Amino acid sequence: MITSIFPFTRPRRLRQNHQIRSLVRENTLSVDDLILPMFVIEGENISEDITTMPNVKRYSVDLLVAKAMELYELGIKAIALFPIVSDELKSELCEESYNEQNLICRTIRALKEKIPHMLVIADVALDPYNINGHDGLTVNGEILNDETIDILCKQALSCAKAGADILAPSDMMDGRIIAIREILEGNDFSHVAIVSYSAKYCSSFYGPFRDAVGSGSALKGDKKTYQMDPANAKEALREIALDIEESADAIIIKPGIAYLDIVSQAKENFNVPIFSYQVSGEYAMIKFASQHKAIDHDQAMLESLLAFKRAGADCILTYFAEDVAKILKEQK
Ligand code: PBG
């Protein structure tokens, strides 16, 4: 007897009401999966708007800590920090990146004092500190891979000393994961995890972020010699394999929506947790389109994030984390 054809088979049976849809739903969003990237700036009692990222702020340390306490109450357990470094502190050798009293280290300590259980993710890369906006040291416009690694190791160690739980190298230099791991192991920081931006593409979707931290105007040239070519997928799998071999605890794929094919291939090929980053430009697209009433804000936000889960992301860095956490709380 053939039963698998219409009218016996009717997929709509499992979609006919809310109850049955939720019973067969394959993926759900949870606050446990969300990480909020946050921008920190010098000063006190400062909360600045970012024109290209509506509703995202640059906070001074005091207000960032206060905000993080609210987030923790909402169930968000991890934040990723990015500093706005004043021009006087930027240099060719990026010394400020490993200054134990720099803005990031002070922010980490302040967070850990008030909310010790909030996971703090510190970015490892030189761009906020580099006079020419690049993630690595340069000579005559050329990136110095191995010399950069030495500075990244110092930066990683300073962040670990300040109390960072997770270090996230986002610089895309070759060989930095093993070097950072060795430094951590050698200095009693074996508990500090490395979540590597293994596949970070050279993307136009980082535009608003560069506005937010001021690295865009500083940037001389582009990042094509270290960030990946958007045309490549197999290369991403090679990059991921190398980072896992070098002992990365988990990996990040970035940007998000436009690179979910990489997330799904990574999920099939590797056993480490996969993070994906819904970057500033993706956030801005949803914000501005919804402000112009082209799409519904909340629906588009939730739909976009569900796509990450469907592709296989274990967690998502997103500027929407707080909005989503609030919606999920109301739904309970
Ligand atoms: C660089 C870095 C970038 C982002 C975070 N760290 C990109 C870049 O400037 O190359 C972008 C994140 C976003 O767009 O939200 N270390």
Side-chain angles (χ1 to χ4, degrees), residues 37 39 53 82 123-128 133 135 170-171 197 200-201 205-210 213 215 223 226-227 254 277-281 319:
F39 299 107
M53 298 181 78
F82 296 98
D123 209 59
V124 181
L126 304 184
D127 53 314
D135 292 27
S170 71
D171 56 289
Y197 285 88
K200 177 169 175 181
Y201 285 87
F205 293 112
Y206 306 145
F209 174 96
R210 292 181 188 170
V213 301
S215 65
K223 300 191 177 186
Y226 48 105
Q227 296 184 345
K254 175 183 184 181
Y277 198 145
Q278 182 178 50
V279 299
S280 57
Y319 300 96

PDB file of all heavy atoms in Angstrom, residues 37 39 53 82 123-128 133 135 170-171 197 200-201 205-210 213 215 223 226-227 254 277-281 319, ligand 1:
ATOM      1  N   PRO A  37      28.034  41.582  22.703  1.00  0.00           N
ATOM      2  CA  PRO A  37      29.250  42.393  22.556  1.00  0.00           C
ATOM      3  C   PRO A  37      28.986  43.791  23.128  1.00  0.00           C
ATOM      4  O   PRO A  37      27.923  44.363  22.885  1.00  0.00           O
ATOM      5  CB  PRO A  37      29.448  42.477  21.036  1.00  0.00           C
ATOM      6  CG  PRO A  37      28.472  41.511  20.428  1.00  0.00           C
ATOM      7  CD  PRO A  37      27.354  41.366  21.413  1.00  0.00           C
ATOM      8  N   PHE A  39      30.708  47.837  24.122  1.00  0.00           N
ATOM      9  CA  PHE A  39      31.783  48.807  23.867  1.00  0.00           C
ATOM     10  C   PHE A  39      32.059  49.611  25.125  1.00  0.00           C
ATOM     11  O   PHE A  39      31.125  50.127  25.746  1.00  0.00           O
ATOM     12  CB  PHE A  39      31.373  49.752  22.734  1.00  0.00           C
ATOM     13  CG  PHE A  39      31.126  49.037  21.434  1.00  0.00           C
ATOM     14  CD1 PHE A  39      29.828  48.854  20.947  1.00  0.00           C
ATOM     15  CD2 PHE A  39      32.185  48.526  20.693  1.00  0.00           C
ATOM     16  CE1 PHE A  39      29.595  48.184  19.752  1.00  0.00           C
ATOM     17  CE2 PHE A  39      31.961  47.852  19.491  1.00  0.00           C
ATOM     18  CZ  PHE A  39      30.667  47.688  19.024  1.00  0.00           C
ATOM     19  N   MET A  53      24.625  52.239  14.755  1.00  0.00           N
ATOM     20  CA  MET A  53      24.110  51.077  15.494  1.00  0.00           C
ATOM     21  C   MET A  53      23.056  51.541  16.502  1.00  0.00           C
ATOM     22  O   MET A  53      23.330  51.637  17.705  1.00  0.00           O
ATOM     23  CB  MET A  53      25.247  50.362  16.240  1.00  0.00           C
ATOM     24  CG  MET A  53      26.317  49.820  15.328  1.00  0.00           C
ATOM     25  SD  MET A  53      27.611  48.980  16.259  1.00  0.00           S
ATOM     26  CE  MET A  53      26.812  47.417  16.618  1.00  0.00           C
ATOM     27  N   PHE A  82      34.839  45.286  23.860  1.00  0.00           N
ATOM     28  CA  PHE A  82      35.655  45.982  22.863  1.00  0.00           C
ATOM     29  C   PHE A  82      35.918  47.409  23.349  1.00  0.00           C
ATOM     30  O   PHE A  82      34.981  48.115  23.716  1.00  0.00           O
ATOM     31  CB  PHE A  82      34.930  46.009  21.512  1.00  0.00           C
ATOM     32  CG  PHE A  82      34.727  44.622  20.942  1.00  0.00           C
ATOM     33  CD1 PHE A  82      33.509  43.967  21.102  1.00  0.00           C
ATOM     34  CD2 PHE A  82      35.760  43.972  20.292  1.00  0.00           C
ATOM     35  CE1 PHE A  82      33.327  42.679  20.602  1.00  0.00           C
ATOM     36  CE2 PHE A  82      35.580  42.688  19.780  1.00  0.00           C
ATOM     37  CZ  PHE A  82      34.371  42.035  19.944  1.00  0.00           C
ATOM     38  N   ASP A 123      38.681  40.267  23.570  1.00  0.00           N
ATOM     39  CA  ASP A 123      39.171  40.141  22.208  1.00  0.00           C
ATOM     40  C   ASP A 123      40.699  40.219  22.225  1.00  0.00           C
ATOM     41  O   ASP A 123      41.275  40.996  22.970  1.00  0.00           O
ATOM     42  CB  ASP A 123      38.620  41.324  21.399  1.00  0.00           C
ATOM     43  CG  ASP A 123      38.443  40.999  19.935  1.00  0.00           C
ATOM     44  OD1 ASP A 123      37.689  40.062  19.627  1.00  0.00           O
ATOM     45  OD2 ASP A 123      39.071  41.669  19.097  1.00  0.00           O
ATOM     46  N   VAL A 124      41.334  39.385  21.418  1.00  0.00           N
ATOM     47  CA  VAL A 124      42.790  39.491  21.283  1.00  0.00           C
ATOM     48  C   VAL A 124      43.079  39.893  19.840  1.00  0.00           C
ATOM     49  O   VAL A 124      42.882  39.110  18.919  1.00  0.00           O
ATOM     50  CB  VAL A 124      43.490  38.156  21.633  1.00  0.00           C
ATOM     51  CG1 VAL A 124      45.004  38.301  21.496  1.00  0.00           C
ATOM     52  CG2 VAL A 124      43.123  37.708  23.044  1.00  0.00           C
ATOM     53  N   ALA A 125      43.494  41.135  19.678  1.00  0.00           N
ATOM     54  CA  ALA A 125      43.815  41.699  18.353  1.00  0.00           C
ATOM     55  C   ALA A 125      44.326  43.104  18.604  1.00  0.00           C
ATOM     56  O   ALA A 125      44.008  43.715  19.625  1.00  0.00           O
ATOM     57  CB  ALA A 125      42.592  41.740  17.442  1.00  0.00           C
ATOM     58  N   LEU A 126      45.094  43.607  17.673  1.00  0.00           N
ATOM     59  CA  LEU A 126      45.745  44.896  17.938  1.00  0.00           C
ATOM     60  C   LEU A 126      45.000  46.111  17.387  1.00  0.00           C
ATOM     61  O   LEU A 126      45.361  47.242  17.687  1.00  0.00           O
ATOM     62  CB  LEU A 126      47.185  44.866  17.380  1.00  0.00           C
ATOM     63  CG  LEU A 126      48.061  43.728  17.920  1.00  0.00           C
ATOM     64  CD1 LEU A 126      49.489  43.850  17.372  1.00  0.00           C
ATOM     65  CD2 LEU A 126      48.078  43.722  19.443  1.00  0.00           C
ATOM     66  N   ASP A 127      43.958  45.896  16.590  1.00  0.00           N
ATOM     67  CA  ASP A 127      43.352  47.036  15.886  1.00  0.00           C
ATOM     68  C   ASP A 127      42.906  48.214  16.762  1.00  0.00           C
ATOM     69  O   ASP A 127      43.069  49.354  16.352  1.00  0.00           O
ATOM     70  CB  ASP A 127      42.223  46.575  14.939  1.00  0.00           C
ATOM     71  CG  ASP A 127      41.181  45.716  15.627  1.00  0.00           C
ATOM     72  OD1 ASP A 127      41.554  44.810  16.372  1.00  0.00           O
ATOM     73  OD2 ASP A 127      39.976  45.953  15.415  1.00  0.00           O
ATOM     74  N   PRO A 128      42.390  47.981  17.970  1.00  0.00           N
ATOM     75  CA  PRO A 128      41.993  49.175  18.734  1.00  0.00           C
ATOM     76  C   PRO A 128      43.190  50.024  19.166  1.00  0.00           C
ATOM     77  O   PRO A 128      43.039  51.194  19.493  1.00  0.00           O
ATOM     78  CB  PRO A 128      41.308  48.596  19.981  1.00  0.00           C
ATOM     79  CG  PRO A 128      41.047  47.166  19.686  1.00  0.00           C
ATOM     80  CD  PRO A 128      42.087  46.747  18.701  1.00  0.00           C
ATOM     81  N   GLY A 133      45.211  51.066  12.416  1.00  0.00           N
ATOM     82  CA  GLY A 133      43.942  50.331  12.413  1.00  0.00           C
ATOM     83  C   GLY A 133      44.021  48.849  12.076  1.00  0.00           C
ATOM     84  O   GLY A 133      43.005  48.151  12.065  1.00  0.00           O
ATOM     85  N   ASP A 135      45.066  44.736  12.519  1.00  0.00           N
ATOM     86  CA  ASP A 135      45.061  43.784  13.634  1.00  0.00           C
ATOM     87  C   ASP A 135      46.469  43.299  13.970  1.00  0.00           C
ATOM     88  O   ASP A 135      46.669  42.614  14.968  1.00  0.00           O
ATOM     89  CB  ASP A 135      44.189  42.571  13.286  1.00  0.00           C
ATOM     90  CG  ASP A 135      42.715  42.936  13.191  1.00  0.00           C
ATOM     91  OD1 ASP A 135      42.412  44.108  12.889  1.00  0.00           O
ATOM     92  OD2 ASP A 135      41.863  42.057  13.419  1.00  0.00           O
ATOM     93  N   SER A 170      40.952  37.545  17.441  1.00  0.00           N
ATOM     94  CA  SER A 170      40.162  37.892  16.257  1.00  0.00           C
ATOM     95  C   SER A 170      41.048  38.474  15.166  1.00  0.00           C
ATOM     96  O   SER A 170      40.587  39.100  14.222  1.00  0.00           O
ATOM     97  CB  SER A 170      39.069  38.906  16.620  1.00  0.00           C
ATOM     98  OG  SER A 170      39.628  40.166  16.891  1.00  0.00           O
ATOM     99  N   ASP A 171      42.344  38.255  15.301  1.00  0.00           N
ATOM    100  CA  ASP A 171      43.337  38.934  14.464  1.00  0.00           C
ATOM    101  C   ASP A 171      43.662  38.200  13.160  1.00  0.00           C
ATOM    102  O   ASP A 171      44.196  38.793  12.230  1.00  0.00           O
ATOM    103  CB  ASP A 171      44.627  39.045  15.257  1.00  0.00           C
ATOM    104  CG  ASP A 171      45.055  37.655  15.709  1.00  0.00           C
ATOM    105  OD1 ASP A 171      44.388  37.093  16.610  1.00  0.00           O
ATOM    106  OD2 ASP A 171      46.002  37.099  15.125  1.00  0.00           O
ATOM    107  N   TYR A 197      38.531  33.044  16.673  1.00  0.00           N
ATOM    108  CA  TYR A 197      37.902  33.449  15.419  1.00  0.00           C
ATOM    109  C   TYR A 197      38.688  32.732  14.330  1.00  0.00           C
ATOM    110  O   TYR A 197      39.643  33.269  13.782  1.00  0.00           O
ATOM    111  CB  TYR A 197      38.022  34.956  15.225  1.00  0.00           C
ATOM    112  CG  TYR A 197      37.105  35.792  16.092  1.00  0.00           C
ATOM    113  CD1 TYR A 197      37.492  36.185  17.363  1.00  0.00           C
ATOM    114  CD2 TYR A 197      35.859  36.204  15.633  1.00  0.00           C
ATOM    115  CE1 TYR A 197      36.655  36.969  18.163  1.00  0.00           C
ATOM    116  CE2 TYR A 197      35.016  36.983  16.419  1.00  0.00           C
ATOM    117  CZ  TYR A 197      35.428  37.362  17.673  1.00  0.00           C
ATOM    118  OH  TYR A 197      34.606  38.129  18.458  1.00  0.00           O
ATOM    119  N   LYS A 200      37.340  34.150   9.987  1.00  0.00           N
ATOM    120  CA  LYS A 200      36.870  35.527  10.008  1.00  0.00           C
ATOM    121  C   LYS A 200      37.095  36.110   8.625  1.00  0.00           C
ATOM    122  O   LYS A 200      38.219  36.161   8.130  1.00  0.00           O
ATOM    123  CB  LYS A 200      37.638  36.320  11.050  1.00  0.00           C
ATOM    124  CG  LYS A 200      37.247  37.779  11.083  1.00  0.00           C
ATOM    125  CD  LYS A 200      37.824  38.473  12.276  1.00  0.00           C
ATOM    126  CE  LYS A 200      37.517  39.953  12.221  1.00  0.00           C
ATOM    127  NZ  LYS A 200      38.089  40.659  13.358  1.00  0.00           N
ATOM    128  N   TYR A 201      35.993  36.478   8.008  1.00  0.00           N
ATOM    129  CA  TYR A 201      36.062  36.938   6.624  1.00  0.00           C
ATOM    130  C   TYR A 201      36.316  38.439   6.534  1.00  0.00           C
ATOM    131  O   TYR A 201      35.950  39.197   7.425  1.00  0.00           O
ATOM    132  CB  TYR A 201      34.755  36.579   5.910  1.00  0.00           C
ATOM    133  CG  TYR A 201      34.679  35.106   5.577  1.00  0.00           C
ATOM    134  CD1 TYR A 201      34.183  34.189   6.499  1.00  0.00           C
ATOM    135  CD2 TYR A 201      35.147  34.633   4.357  1.00  0.00           C
ATOM    136  CE1 TYR A 201      34.140  32.829   6.200  1.00  0.00           C
ATOM    137  CE2 TYR A 201      35.102  33.279   4.052  1.00  0.00           C
ATOM    138  CZ  TYR A 201      34.600  32.385   4.973  1.00  0.00           C
ATOM    139  OH  TYR A 201      34.559  31.049   4.674  1.00  0.00           O
ATOM    140  N   PHE A 205      30.473  44.003   6.283  1.00  0.00           N
ATOM    141  CA  PHE A 205      29.494  44.074   7.369  1.00  0.00           C
ATOM    142  C   PHE A 205      30.087  44.531   8.706  1.00  0.00           C
ATOM    143  O   PHE A 205      29.382  44.589   9.700  1.00  0.00           O
ATOM    144  CB  PHE A 205      28.783  42.724   7.537  1.00  0.00           C
ATOM    145  CG  PHE A 205      27.913  42.363   6.363  1.00  0.00           C
ATOM    146  CD1 PHE A 205      28.244  41.302   5.529  1.00  0.00           C
ATOM    147  CD2 PHE A 205      26.768  43.091   6.079  1.00  0.00           C
ATOM    148  CE1 PHE A 205      27.448  40.964   4.444  1.00  0.00           C
ATOM    149  CE2 PHE A 205      25.967  42.772   4.993  1.00  0.00           C
ATOM    150  CZ  PHE A 205      26.306  41.696   4.170  1.00  0.00           C
ATOM    151  N   TYR A 206      31.394  44.794   8.753  1.00  0.00           N
ATOM    152  CA  TYR A 206      32.004  45.297   9.989  1.00  0.00           C
ATOM    153  C   TYR A 206      31.951  46.822  10.092  1.00  0.00           C
ATOM    154  O   TYR A 206      32.417  47.387  11.081  1.00  0.00           O
ATOM    155  CB  TYR A 206      33.481  44.875  10.102  1.00  0.00           C
ATOM    156  CG  TYR A 206      33.754  43.399   9.983  1.00  0.00           C
ATOM    157  CD1 TYR A 206      34.923  42.939   9.360  1.00  0.00           C
ATOM    158  CD2 TYR A 206      32.876  42.456  10.506  1.00  0.00           C
ATOM    159  CE1 TYR A 206      35.192  41.581   9.248  1.00  0.00           C
ATOM    160  CE2 TYR A 206      33.136  41.093  10.384  1.00  0.00           C
ATOM    161  CZ  TYR A 206      34.297  40.663   9.754  1.00  0.00           C
ATOM    162  OH  TYR A 206      34.565  39.323   9.638  1.00  0.00           O
ATOM    163  N   GLY A 207      31.397  47.469   9.055  1.00  0.00           N
ATOM    164  CA  GLY A 207      31.424  48.938   8.998  1.00  0.00           C
ATOM    165  C   GLY A 207      31.000  49.648  10.277  1.00  0.00           C
ATOM    166  O   GLY A 207      31.762  50.452  10.833  1.00  0.00           O
ATOM    167  N   PRO A 208      29.789  49.368  10.791  1.00  0.00           N
ATOM    168  CA  PRO A 208      29.338  50.091  11.983  1.00  0.00           C
ATOM    169  C   PRO A 208      30.231  49.848  13.217  1.00  0.00           C
ATOM    170  O   PRO A 208      30.438  50.748  14.016  1.00  0.00           O
ATOM    171  CB  PRO A 208      27.924  49.533  12.214  1.00  0.00           C
ATOM    172  CG  PRO A 208      27.491  49.034  10.874  1.00  0.00           C
ATOM    173  CD  PRO A 208      28.729  48.524  10.212  1.00  0.00           C
ATOM    174  N   PHE A 209      30.773  48.648  13.327  1.00  0.00           N
ATOM    175  CA  PHE A 209      31.688  48.346  14.436  1.00  0.00           C
ATOM    176  C   PHE A 209      32.907  49.263  14.379  1.00  0.00           C
ATOM    177  O   PHE A 209      33.351  49.812  15.379  1.00  0.00           O
ATOM    178  CB  PHE A 209      32.129  46.881  14.364  1.00  0.00           C
ATOM    179  CG  PHE A 209      33.190  46.477  15.369  1.00  0.00           C
ATOM    180  CD1 PHE A 209      32.828  45.880  16.571  1.00  0.00           C
ATOM    181  CD2 PHE A 209      34.539  46.681  15.105  1.00  0.00           C
ATOM    182  CE1 PHE A 209      33.802  45.497  17.498  1.00  0.00           C
ATOM    183  CE2 PHE A 209      35.516  46.306  16.017  1.00  0.00           C
ATOM    184  CZ  PHE A 209      35.153  45.715  17.214  1.00  0.00           C
ATOM    185  N   ARG A 210      33.415  49.435  13.177  1.00  0.00           N
ATOM    186  CA  ARG A 210      34.608  50.289  13.040  1.00  0.00           C
ATOM    187  C   ARG A 210      34.272  51.740  13.365  1.00  0.00           C
ATOM    188  O   ARG A 210      35.105  52.460  13.897  1.00  0.00           O
ATOM    189  CB  ARG A 210      35.220  50.131  11.644  1.00  0.00           C
ATOM    190  CG  ARG A 210      35.813  48.739  11.474  1.00  0.00           C
ATOM    191  CD  ARG A 210      36.465  48.534  10.113  1.00  0.00           C
ATOM    192  NE  ARG A 210      36.846  47.132   9.944  1.00  0.00           N
ATOM    193  CZ  ARG A 210      37.255  46.607   8.799  1.00  0.00           C
ATOM    194  NH1 ARG A 210      37.335  47.356   7.724  1.00  0.00           N
ATOM    195  NH2 ARG A 210      37.586  45.322   8.738  1.00  0.00           N
ATOM    196  N   VAL A 213      34.198  51.831  17.344  1.00  0.00           N
ATOM    197  CA  VAL A 213      35.474  51.838  18.066  1.00  0.00           C
ATOM    198  C   VAL A 213      36.481  52.823  17.469  1.00  0.00           C
ATOM    199  O   VAL A 213      37.554  53.035  18.031  1.00  0.00           O
ATOM    200  CB  VAL A 213      36.126  50.430  18.151  1.00  0.00           C
ATOM    201  CG1 VAL A 213      35.210  49.449  18.850  1.00  0.00           C
ATOM    202  CG2 VAL A 213      36.527  49.909  16.784  1.00  0.00           C
ATOM    203  N   SER A 215      38.110  52.489  14.658  1.00  0.00           N
ATOM    204  CA  SER A 215      39.243  51.875  13.950  1.00  0.00           C
ATOM    205  C   SER A 215      39.101  52.049  12.444  1.00  0.00           C
ATOM    206  O   SER A 215      40.061  51.888  11.702  1.00  0.00           O
ATOM    207  CB  SER A 215      39.363  50.385  14.298  1.00  0.00           C
ATOM    208  OG  SER A 215      38.230  49.679  13.830  1.00  0.00           O
ATOM    209  N   LYS A 223      42.060  44.631   4.993  1.00  0.00           N
ATOM    210  CA  LYS A 223      42.560  43.527   5.819  1.00  0.00           C
ATOM    211  C   LYS A 223      42.643  42.214   5.036  1.00  0.00           C
ATOM    212  O   LYS A 223      42.607  41.125   5.607  1.00  0.00           O
ATOM    213  CB  LYS A 223      41.663  43.381   7.055  1.00  0.00           C
ATOM    214  CG  LYS A 223      41.622  44.630   7.939  1.00  0.00           C
ATOM    215  CD  LYS A 223      40.951  44.362   9.296  1.00  0.00           C
ATOM    216  CE  LYS A 223      40.993  45.605  10.194  1.00  0.00           C
ATOM    217  NZ  LYS A 223      40.478  45.330  11.557  1.00  0.00           N
ATOM    218  N   TYR A 226      45.001  39.091   5.736  1.00  0.00           N
ATOM    219  CA  TYR A 226      44.809  38.175   6.867  1.00  0.00           C
ATOM    220  C   TYR A 226      43.367  37.709   7.058  1.00  0.00           C
ATOM    221  O   TYR A 226      43.132  36.557   7.372  1.00  0.00           O
ATOM    222  CB  TYR A 226      45.430  38.735   8.159  1.00  0.00           C
ATOM    223  CG  TYR A 226      45.125  40.176   8.519  1.00  0.00           C
ATOM    224  CD1 TYR A 226      44.232  40.492   9.519  1.00  0.00           C
ATOM    225  CD2 TYR A 226      45.758  41.231   7.862  1.00  0.00           C
ATOM    226  CE1 TYR A 226      43.977  41.816   9.881  1.00  0.00           C
ATOM    227  CE2 TYR A 226      45.497  42.562   8.206  1.00  0.00           C
ATOM    228  CZ  TYR A 226      44.603  42.842   9.207  1.00  0.00           C
ATOM    229  OH  TYR A 226      44.350  44.143   9.542  1.00  0.00           O
ATOM    230  N   GLN A 227      42.386  38.574   6.840  1.00  0.00           N
ATOM    231  CA  GLN A 227      41.007  38.090   6.933  1.00  0.00           C
ATOM    232  C   GLN A 227      40.670  37.335   5.642  1.00  0.00           C
ATOM    233  O   GLN A 227      41.223  37.608   4.585  1.00  0.00           O
ATOM    234  CB  GLN A 227      40.049  39.264   7.138  1.00  0.00           C
ATOM    235  CG  GLN A 227      40.320  39.971   8.467  1.00  0.00           C
ATOM    236  CD  GLN A 227      39.352  41.087   8.772  1.00  0.00           C
ATOM    237  OE1 GLN A 227      38.618  41.547   7.902  1.00  0.00           O
ATOM    238  NE2 GLN A 227      39.357  41.543  10.013  1.00  0.00           N
ATOM    239  N   LYS A 254      32.569  34.241  11.485  1.00  0.00           N
ATOM    240  CA  LYS A 254      32.159  35.648  11.463  1.00  0.00           C
ATOM    241  C   LYS A 254      32.357  36.227  10.072  1.00  0.00           C
ATOM    242  O   LYS A 254      33.391  35.944   9.468  1.00  0.00           O
ATOM    243  CB  LYS A 254      33.039  36.371  12.475  1.00  0.00           C
ATOM    244  CG  LYS A 254      32.914  37.862  12.582  1.00  0.00           C
ATOM    245  CD  LYS A 254      33.930  38.325  13.598  1.00  0.00           C
ATOM    246  CE  LYS A 254      33.838  39.785  13.870  1.00  0.00           C
ATOM    247  NZ  LYS A 254      34.843  40.207  14.829  1.00  0.00           N
ATOM    248  N   TYR A 277      28.930  34.954  14.908  1.00  0.00           N
ATOM    249  CA  TYR A 277      28.840  36.370  15.283  1.00  0.00           C
ATOM    250  C   TYR A 277      27.947  37.110  14.298  1.00  0.00           C
ATOM    251  O   TYR A 277      28.302  37.266  13.138  1.00  0.00           O
ATOM    252  CB  TYR A 277      30.248  36.971  15.284  1.00  0.00           C
ATOM    253  CG  TYR A 277      30.453  38.280  16.022  1.00  0.00           C
ATOM    254  CD1 TYR A 277      31.650  38.535  16.688  1.00  0.00           C
ATOM    255  CD2 TYR A 277      29.488  39.285  16.037  1.00  0.00           C
ATOM    256  CE1 TYR A 277      31.877  39.734  17.360  1.00  0.00           C
ATOM    257  CE2 TYR A 277      29.707  40.488  16.706  1.00  0.00           C
ATOM    258  CZ  TYR A 277      30.903  40.710  17.354  1.00  0.00           C
ATOM    259  OH  TYR A 277      31.133  41.902  18.004  1.00  0.00           O
ATOM    260  N   GLN A 278      26.785  37.531  14.796  1.00  0.00           N
ATOM    261  CA  GLN A 278      25.922  38.401  13.984  1.00  0.00           C
ATOM    262  C   GLN A 278      26.502  39.807  14.132  1.00  0.00           C
ATOM    263  O   GLN A 278      26.321  40.450  15.158  1.00  0.00           O
ATOM    264  CB  GLN A 278      24.484  38.355  14.508  1.00  0.00           C
ATOM    265  CG  GLN A 278      23.526  39.184  13.681  1.00  0.00           C
ATOM    266  CD  GLN A 278      22.097  39.094  14.190  1.00  0.00           C
ATOM    267  OE1 GLN A 278      21.837  39.277  15.377  1.00  0.00           O
ATOM    268  NE2 GLN A 278      21.164  38.811  13.310  1.00  0.00           N
ATOM    269  N   VAL A 279      27.219  40.244  13.116  1.00  0.00           N
ATOM    270  CA  VAL A 279      28.059  41.435  13.277  1.00  0.00           C
ATOM    271  C   VAL A 279      27.268  42.739  13.113  1.00  0.00           C
ATOM    272  O   VAL A 279      26.081  42.736  12.781  1.00  0.00           O
ATOM    273  CB  VAL A 279      29.280  41.410  12.318  1.00  0.00           C
ATOM    274  CG1 VAL A 279      30.158  40.205  12.612  1.00  0.00           C
ATOM    275  CG2 VAL A 279      28.835  41.450  10.862  1.00  0.00           C
ATOM    276  N   SER A 280      27.989  43.810  13.333  1.00  0.00           N
ATOM    277  CA  SER A 280      27.376  45.143  13.383  1.00  0.00           C
ATOM    278  C   SER A 280      26.557  45.494  12.140  1.00  0.00           C
ATOM    279  O   SER A 280      25.477  46.065  12.252  1.00  0.00           O
ATOM    280  CB  SER A 280      28.469  46.182  13.608  1.00  0.00           C
ATOM    281  OG  SER A 280      29.455  46.092  12.596  1.00  0.00           O
ATOM    282  N   GLY A 281      27.055  45.151  10.955  1.00  0.00           N
ATOM    283  CA  GLY A 281      26.342  45.500   9.717  1.00  0.00           C
ATOM    284  C   GLY A 281      25.035  44.739   9.586  1.00  0.00           C
ATOM    285  O   GLY A 281      24.047  45.265   9.065  1.00  0.00           O
ATOM    286  N   TYR A 319      24.246  41.808  18.985  1.00  0.00           N
ATOM    287  CA  TYR A 319      23.907  43.076  19.643  1.00  0.00           C
ATOM    288  C   TYR A 319      22.437  43.085  20.062  1.00  0.00           C
ATOM    289  O   TYR A 319      22.000  43.994  20.749  1.00  0.00           O
ATOM    290  CB  TYR A 319      24.223  44.245  18.704  1.00  0.00           C
ATOM    291  CG  TYR A 319      25.690  44.280  18.333  1.00  0.00           C
ATOM    292  CD1 TYR A 319      26.149  43.707  17.139  1.00  0.00           C
ATOM    293  CD2 TYR A 319      26.630  44.827  19.201  1.00  0.00           C
ATOM    294  CE1 TYR A 319      27.498  43.697  16.813  1.00  0.00           C
ATOM    295  CE2 TYR A 319      27.981  44.823  18.881  1.00  0.00           C
ATOM    296  CZ  TYR A 319      28.406  44.252  17.691  1.00  0.00           C
ATOM    297  OH  TYR A 319      29.745  44.229  17.376  1.00  0.00           O
TER     298      TYR A 319
HETATM  299  C1  PBG B   1      38.747  43.246  14.657  1.00  0.00           C
HETATM  300  C2  PBG B   1      37.283  43.122  14.912  1.00  0.00           C
HETATM  301  C3  PBG B   1      36.266  43.327  13.965  1.00  0.00           C
HETATM  302  C4  PBG B   1      35.046  43.158  14.612  1.00  0.00           C
HETATM  303  C5  PBG B   1      35.331  42.797  15.914  1.00  0.00           C
HETATM  304  N1  PBG B   1      36.723  42.791  16.092  1.00  0.00           N
HETATM  305  C6  PBG B   1      36.311  43.547  12.525  1.00  0.00           C
HETATM  306  C7  PBG B   1      37.312  44.394  11.931  1.00  0.00           C
HETATM  307  O1  PBG B   1      37.373  45.600  12.215  1.00  0.00           O
HETATM  308  O2  PBG B   1      38.061  43.863  11.121  1.00  0.00           O
HETATM  309  C8  PBG B   1      33.724  43.357  13.958  1.00  0.00           C
HETATM  310  C9  PBG B   1      32.505  43.056  14.740  1.00  0.00           C
HETATM  311  C10 PBG B   1      31.262  43.644  14.197  1.00  0.00           C
HETATM  312  O3  PBG B   1      31.215  44.135  13.060  1.00  0.00           O
HETATM  313  O4  PBG B   1      30.264  43.614  14.921  1.00  0.00           O
HETATM  314  N2  PBG B   1      39.588  42.719  15.606  1.00  0.00           N
END
